[in-house]
Amino acid sequence: MSTRKSSGGESFNDDFCSSLEYHLSRAFNNSCDSKLRWFWCDGVEQPSNEGELTWELINQSRKIETKAWIGATGQDVYNMTIKLDLESLSRCAEGQSLKGCLPDEHSFEWVTIDVDLMTILLQLK
């Protein structure tokens, strides 16, 4: 196992953001709240400042902060927090894709959403 510490941007990239967008859209179908079953995600933003994706910051905070377009129209801007556990942190450290850390899309337990505050919290595995 390499001890190389990468930039978090190698793991949180366009490919991952696109995968997360579709994965989250499918997961909304499994919400207990019937209103959320009509929600979908139309995009996940990469932070414009590369400094927000440094390994040091991600390792210290154990999260990535970004924005996503979510809602019944997919056009409401939500503040998104993606919490990382040990596996996802390890993948970030090695510059590996985070796609393998996406929880089961048939479950909604990894998603916490507040439609009034327009925030969404995701827990990667």
Side-chain angles (χ1 to χ4, degrees):
M1 180 178 179
S2 169
T3 58
R4 176 180 159 266
K5 298 293 184 222
S6 75
S7 157
E10 293 176 31
S11 299
F12 191 82
N13 55 27
D14 286 336
D15 184 46
F16 173 74
C17 289
S18 179
S19 293
L20 177 58
E21 170 187 341
Y22 291 107
H23 196 83
L24 185 56
S25 290
R26 290 186 295 269
F28 276 117
N29 292 323
N30 298 297
S31 171
C32 293
D33 184 338
S34 61
K35 180 174 64 173
L36 293 178
R37 290 189 194 140
W38 294 99
F39 276 34
W40 58 288
C41 181
D42 192 30
V44 176
E45 180 179 80
Q46 283 212 45
S48 57
N49 179 356
E50 287 183 27
E52 295 176 43
L53 289 177
T54 64
W55 164 247
E56 292 78 15
L57 182 60
I58 291 171
N59 188 44
Q60 181 181 25
S61 67
R62 306 271 199 263
K63 64 184 177 183
I64 296 172
E65 301 278 349
T66 189
K67 295 196 182 302
W69 287 262
I70 296 173
T73 65
Q75 297 305 303
D76 297 323
V77 180
Y78 277 69
N79 290 315
M80 177 182 274
T81 301
I82 303 170
K83 295 182 78 175
L84 308 173
D85 74 354
L86 292 178
E87 180 181 344
S88 49
L89 281 171
S90 176
R91 284 179 178 251
C92 260
E94 296 299 321
Q96 297 175 1
S97 173
L98 290 172
K99 288 193 297 187
C101 297
L102 290 171
D104 184 2
E105 67 187 31
H106 297 100
S107 166
F108 202 68
E109 293 178 11
W110 56 282
V111 179
T112 305
I113 187 166
D114 186 321
V115 294
D116 295 325
L117 294 176
M118 297 180 76
T119 60
I120 186 165
L121 172 71
L122 309 178
Q123 177 64 59
L124 296 187
K125 59 179 188 165

